[in-house]
Amino acid sequence: MVKKLNVLVFPCGSEAGLEIHAALHVEKSVTLFGASSVADQGRMVYRRHTGDLPFYTQADFDDRLQALIHSQQIDVVIPAHDDVLVYLAKNRARFSAQVLAPDAAVCFTCQSRQRTYAALAGESFVPASYSQVADIPHFPVLMAADDKRDEQPGGNGEGKQTALLAQDEAGALAALARDPALRMVEYLPGRDYSVDCYADRDGSLLFCSATEHFGARSGTSALAGGEALNAEIRRMAEVIQTRIGLRGMWFFRLKEAADGSLKLVAVSPRVAGGMSLHRVMGVNFVLLALFELTGQPVSVIPPALGEVTVERALASRYDHAFEYDTVYLDLDDTLIVDGELNETVLMFVYQCRRLGRKVRLITRHFQLPDLTLEAFAVHSGLFSDVIWITDTRPKSDFITKGERAIFIDDSYKERLDVARTKAIPVLAPDAVEVLLDWRR
């Protein structure tokens, strides 16, 4: 890129917003900003974060967003939620920054299952829909809201679960009595796939690759389903792209029907949280879209890593009120544990260096600490000094009282003594994660 872009992501704490952060936070051509309307994980990962932007449905949203764009000199806004995507695509002329979104008509079509299926009418991969309970040839049938991403029972869409399974005619009638707006759609009980795609501005499908979702833990694996299956999925992608008019990054979901055929669940013209799998294989969808937005030609290097699997798990991010300028850090069983470096603690040491905080290594090590640091390829320059205790004095004797400091040590006895005598925060090695700052 010719110029470094100021990029704003909203809402930045959504699953898509966190993936955009992962895709761009170390990109040299981008300065990343995040905005949220509620307190969420966005504030934990976006260093330049605005937490009080109104919901897009509020009357003052446009003015507040434009004020933020102006004050931070934002060049590009990336919507990270389906409904926000539709709104910003429709109203992009109100803002001085570019909106990274397809045409409003494309976004509007994809927002609704009914409109998506209508745009693809006649295609064999569109699941059957029923207007009357009497039309349903067999049960169970899926009862779902039209404009939600959570199309399958137990799904992990953007909103609350809005789909249920009617096992018989009575169940379907009862569901409609509670919510007449529910639509009745063919139930797809089989394997679940996401297909990540990128189409350039000329309509060429540069990339199309499926991932399979499996297990209760939301595991995802790059699909190695054979030439025939991949060819079938690509043909679907080409049809969807052509008939809906998709450009840039987009994805669609498929599930197996009862007869084993693949049927469409939904299409979305935005980044997906699951695109992380293809990103680590070398296809950064968000960056491709930004390059095209600035007029650069793009191409995709075919992934060369083979099959990759990701297991999504809870990742904790913390906010804390610790105020400190100095860290007293133990060596044995803290920085080095069982003959190996504790990478989490070492990451924290580097963070302190970046933030200008002193780290004082304090240890009763069996030999000159510098020798062990050198053996583990840890540069002694990471530490402001090394306190090597060779007698029986407690470590608290080497801590200046009244200092804005914290003490990290695996020894409960040492921690208790420092807490009592110096009145500073003390942490065990397993708690160091609370000090890590993931904001970029």
Side-chain angles (χ1 to χ4, degrees), residues 55-108:
F55 290 101
Y56 78 96
T57 53
Q58 293 179 260
D60 60 341
F61 173 77
D62 289 359
D63 290 341
R64 291 280 299 279
L65 176 58
Q66 177 55 38
L68 179 60
I69 290 170
H70 177 74
S71 66
Q72 301 300 323
Q73 297 182 305
I74 299 299
D75 299 297
V76 180
V77 178
I78 305 181
H81 183 282
D82 285 311
D83 294 338
V84 175
L85 182 79
V86 173
Y87 182 85
L88 291 181
K90 181 179 178 181
N91 298 288
R92 67 179 85 218
R94 299 180 184 180
F95 308 105
S96 58
Q98 296 188 79
V99 175
L100 190 62
D103 291 340
V106 171
C107 299
F108 181 70

Side-chain angles (χ1 to χ4, degrees), residues 231-251:
E232 179 185 4
I233 290 174
R234 184 175 181 89
R235 185 192 70 81
M236 291 181 188
E238 290 170 346
V239 170
I240 294 168
Q241 179 201 335
T242 300
R243 294 189 61 171
I244 295 180
L246 290 151
R247 296 293 186 272
M249 53 187 170
W250 59 283
F251 71 98

